[in-house]
Amino acid sequence: MRVYNKRDSSKIFNRTYEDYERGLGIVGTDIRDEFFIGLKNLHLLMNGKPHEVMVDTNAFNRKICNHFVLGSQNEGYMLKSIGNCTGNANVLFPKQGSTFSTFDRDEDGFPDRNLAQEVGFGWWFDPSMSNIRDDYDFIRVYIRRKD
């Protein structure tokens, strides 16, 4: 299931933390539809159970992890588990323990930077992403139940 679909340099993803909690964009069947189902919905959908996750930024930059668990609102939608991963290195792939960050709620681990503000979208940023940019062809996140 596709849960996040952002095209190159989209401006609709430069939203508040509250917007990311609710969800944004148009959820449709067209690959050009830009959306995020929302942190609350993603957490509810996953129901604390492990899922496989794939983060895809182009045909040559894809990573899949087999034990993805997302924390609750009280936990800052922390990535509680990632599991074993395969695929190409992906600078956008979040690390276990990362919490969701937006321009108005800086949770990226950099005391003097706000990566969400710099790149114009919310994400599970962490200090290893110091060279992040927003020039990907697209960012897509897919999840699949493990049971």
Side-chain angles (χ1 to χ4, degrees), residues 1-68:
M1 168 187 276
R2 190 168 20 130
V3 296
Y4 187 105
N5 194 54
K6 178 187 179 304
R7 293 190 303 159
D8 58 347
S9 300
S10 172
K11 301 302 179 206
I12 73 162
F13 282 80
N14 193 15
R15 299 287 186 93
T16 65
Y17 193 87
E18 186 177 278
D19 289 335
Y20 272 96
E21 278 191 303
R22 276 193 311 262
L24 53 100
I26 299 168
V27 178
T29 57
D30 192 319
I31 198 71
R32 294 170 295 189
D33 292 338
E34 294 186 288
F35 68 92
F36 175 51
I37 68 167
L39 293 163
K40 284 182 183 179
N41 291 331
L42 185 57
H43 176 70
L44 288 172
L45 180 67
M46 296 176 72
N47 197 23
K49 296 179 180 163
H51 282 64
E52 183 176 71
V53 65
M54 179 175 75
V55 175
D56 189 7
T57 54
N58 65 42
F60 305 106
N61 201 3
R62 171 180 300 161
K63 196 167 198 177
I64 300 170
C65 294
N66 69 353
H67 196 266
F68 186 80

Side-chain angles (χ1 to χ4, degrees), residues 72-87:
S72 68
Q73 179 183 31
N74 293 339
E75 298 168 304
Y77 300 103
M78 177 190 305
L79 297 180
K80 295 174 76 171
S81 178
I82 300 291
N84 294 321
C85 301
T86 60

Side-chain angles (χ1 to χ4, degrees), residues 117-137:
Q117 186 173 28
E118 289 178 25
V119 298
F121 62 91
W123 194 254
W124 292 273
F125 297 110
D126 69 73
S128 71
M129 298 177 174
S130 61
N131 62 345
I132 196 163
R133 61 204 187 287
D134 186 24
D135 62 352
Y136 297 99
D137 294 335

